[in-house]
Amino acid sequence: MIRVMLVDDHPVVREGLRSLLDAEPDIEVVGECGDAASAAATAAATRPDLVLMDLRMPGRDGVAATADVLAACSTRVVVLTTYDHDGDVLRAVEAGASGYLLKDTPRAGLVEGVRAAARGETVLAPAAAATLAGAVRRPAPPTLTPREHDVLRAVARGLSNPEIARELRIGEATVKSHLLRVFEKLQVSDRTAAVTAAIARGILPTPRL
Amino acid sequence: MIRVMLVDDHPVVREGLRSLLDAEPDIEVVGECGDAASAAATAAATRPDLVLMDLRMPGRDGVAATADVLAACSTRVVVLTTYDHDGDVLRAVEAGASGYLLKDTPRAGLVEGVRAAARGETVLAPAAAATLAGAVRRPAPPTLTPREHDVLRAVARGLSNPEIARELRIGEATVKSHLLRVFEKLQVSDRTAAVTAAIARGILPTPRL
DNA sequence: GGCCGCCTCCACCGGTCGGTGGAGGCGGCG
DNA sequence: CGCCGCCTCCACCGACCGGTGGAGGCGGCC
């Protein structure tokens, strides 16, 4: 019997997974949890063989929750999310996820994925597999320093270099230095492309109204 | 008996909604559909009282599907989606949706929402209601002309004005004219802020890797 | 026909931006 | 201690950008 625990902030999704998995003779849902913060505690209490983890939750820390769960008890974590944001796949696997499935997987694929992960296999959706393959080909995951981050965030708000310099209490020359290094790291040549590239890679959050 | 049809590309979500709604004595799920394209045809065939419609689907045209369904048969459409992107709410309601609920609604709220919508009420999640209220306060929904859209998309890719002029086969002066009007409409004063503002309002898609 | 919105284009200006090619200080690590 | 990464700053350049204040053409709508 494979003991599964669900972490997802959407009751509808938990309900769907539960009915789908409980219909299988060899799978049992032993717990569920609606937020990332209490995932580790729930896992420690229910000691599942496998945790199905949503990535996007209030506080948006499915990745952190994955790390917490793995630190709290010996189990496997399979990420089950809606979109295949490339950045998410990388961060999830870095955090120790044993699999990355999308919610539009047909039910047979989901069930088989759960069994495969419980057997110890790493189960990846095709898009996620492609992303990981691409990531190892390119051994340069662009990591920005805190200051570079600050400058880029300000740029995304539409501030000019002099304005950024005032806001961060540094010289305009310094702003330019940081920005040039950001361009280099993101492989772009102007501030606007830097912002979109950063959003695409999850370095900056998707802007909201 | 309230006859409900489900439109969502995720089998898991459909499964969850079906088991949740079928548990109610006065609700019956009479059809489901995994893509926006065939939603109208399915609705015409099953003639539901209510359609629960996901907004984000392959082809991302839940709004268009809402309009199609309403054109194809007399029913009500309630949008049931994951995030409360402000732009989505506005477009969905414009397309004729009778409600806008989020997937993190507790199951009791969902069921009550379905009943209320079937009674003819307009059912809005709190966040969606706030957005609509804000929208009527501000009677300027920034609509870009096709050409302005073209220019803005090019800007988001990091192209300079001369490059955009070459790509669109127009003069650089024309590019600037379009851009200035975009700035005005989006209430910003530079290209980078224009791109983030456009992404925030759903005018431009969230950039992907 | 008249009006209006959209697209197109022009010349000119000052400020900003991307880029070069440096430099020094400071903290951590082996 | 020396090395390295990060942060800070400088001067200078040419290109580009935002903004002004125009203009004409074209199509749809009343």
Side-chain angles (χ1 to χ4, degrees), chain B residues 33-122:
Chain B
C33 170
D35 63 293
S38 60
T42 309
T46 59
R47 311 203 67 78
D49 300 309
L50 184 77
V51 176
L52 280 181
M53 171 79 69
D54 188 24
L55 271 194
R56 306 293 183 97
M57 286 182 283
R60 53 173 34 233
D61 44 2
V63 171
T66 297
D68 293 349
V69 165
L70 290 174
C73 78
S74 159
T75 185
R76 303 191 152 266
V77 176
V78 169
V79 165
L80 180 66
T81 193
T82 309
Y83 307 110
D84 58 336
H85 250 298
D86 294 47
D88 290 346
V89 185
L90 296 176
R91 283 178 294 175
V93 172
E94 276 174 16
S98 304
Y100 194 100
L101 296 175
L102 300 179
K103 283 185 186 161
D104 61 2
T105 306
R107 60 195 76 195
L110 258 177
V111 171
E112 218 8 81
V114 167
R115 292 204 186 97
R119 278 197 304 270
E121 296 174 24
T122 295

Side-chain angles (χ1 to χ4, degrees), chain A residues 155-158 190-197 199 206-208, chain B residues 144 151-159 179 182-183 186 188-207:
Chain A
V155 167
R157 286 165 47 209
D190 70 282
R191 61 218 279 112
T192 306
V195 168
T196 56
I199 292 172
T206 302
R208 302 256 150 189
Chain B
L144 301 189
V151 172
L152 186 55
R153 270 202 309 273
V155 167
R157 287 164 47 208
L159 302 187
L179 260 185
V182 169
F183 293 165
L186 296 182
V188 297
S189 56
D190 70 283
R191 51 181 53 232
T192 306
V195 168
T196 54
I199 292 171
R201 304 187 194 195
I203 296 171
L204 286 181
T206 302

Side-chain angles (χ1 to χ4, degrees), chain A residues 58-159:
Chain A
R60 55 170 34 230
D61 45 0
V63 171
T66 296
D68 293 348
V69 166
L70 290 173
C73 80
S74 158
T75 185
R76 304 192 150 265
V77 175
V78 170
V79 165
L80 179 66
T81 193
T82 308
Y83 307 110
D84 58 335
H85 248 299
D86 293 46
D88 291 346
V89 184
L90 296 175
R91 283 178 291 176
V93 171
E94 276 174 16
S98 303
Y100 195 101
L101 296 175
L102 300 179
K103 282 185 187 162
D104 61 0
T105 306
R107 61 194 75 195
L110 258 177
V111 171
E112 218 7 82
V114 167
R115 292 205 184 97
R119 279 197 303 271
E121 298 175 20
T122 294
V123 46
L124 293 178
T131 299
L132 281 190
V136 296
R137 259 196 294 280
R138 182 186 350 156
T143 312
L144 302 188
T145 68
R147 218 48 174 161
E148 287 163 0
H149 220 103
D150 292 342
V151 172
L152 186 55
R153 269 202 311 272
V155 167
R157 286 165 47 209
L159 302 187

